[in-house]
Amino acid sequence: MQAITPGWRFVAIVIEGRPVPGLGLDPWPVKWRRVDESLITVAHPQYPSQRHSMWIYEVNFEGHVLCFAAGEFSANVWGFYLPVDGPAPNSR
């Protein structure tokens, strides 16, 4: 089984376009910039034996830069993760 990338915490699973509780902003209307070509590996929060790859993104929202990882668990069902040292849920 593939190892989970340390340093990331689960935030939410949402249907594409819906609000992402705990992220601190609505990511859908802003441009996502991929940080690099690296992927992180996460465990599905409801099915921990499943592994998923997520890209790392940055968004600039009203002068604040937010780094997060995101990817589709299944069609139009997205998972979001924040760095462990990132903002606390609902901090913005």
Side-chain angles (χ1 to χ4, degrees):
M1 182 177 302
Q2 191 171 8
I4 295 169
T5 305
W8 294 88
R9 61 184 164 83
F10 170 73
V11 175
I13 296 176
V14 300
I15 303 297
E16 187 171 327
R18 300 262 173 97
V20 183
L23 192 60
L25 62 84
D26 180 1
W28 304 111
V30 296
K31 180 164 177 56
W32 301 10
R33 185 183 73 78
R34 197 175 319 162
V35 172
D36 59 29
E37 295 302 312
S38 301
L39 292 165
I40 66 166
T41 300
V42 299
H44 191 292
Q46 294 171 324
Y47 307 100
S49 64
Q50 291 183 9
R51 298 294 186 258
H52 297 270
S53 297
M54 305 275 168
W55 294 104
I56 301 171
Y57 298 97
E58 285 183 343
V59 297
N60 189 326
F61 183 75
E62 298 178 356
H64 298 283
V65 175
L66 177 67
C67 179
F68 63 92
E72 285 184 285
F73 285 128
S74 60
N76 298 319
V77 178
W78 286 75
F80 286 84
Y81 291 76
L82 285 172
V84 169
D85 60 353
N90 302 316
S91 66
R92 294 187 191 184

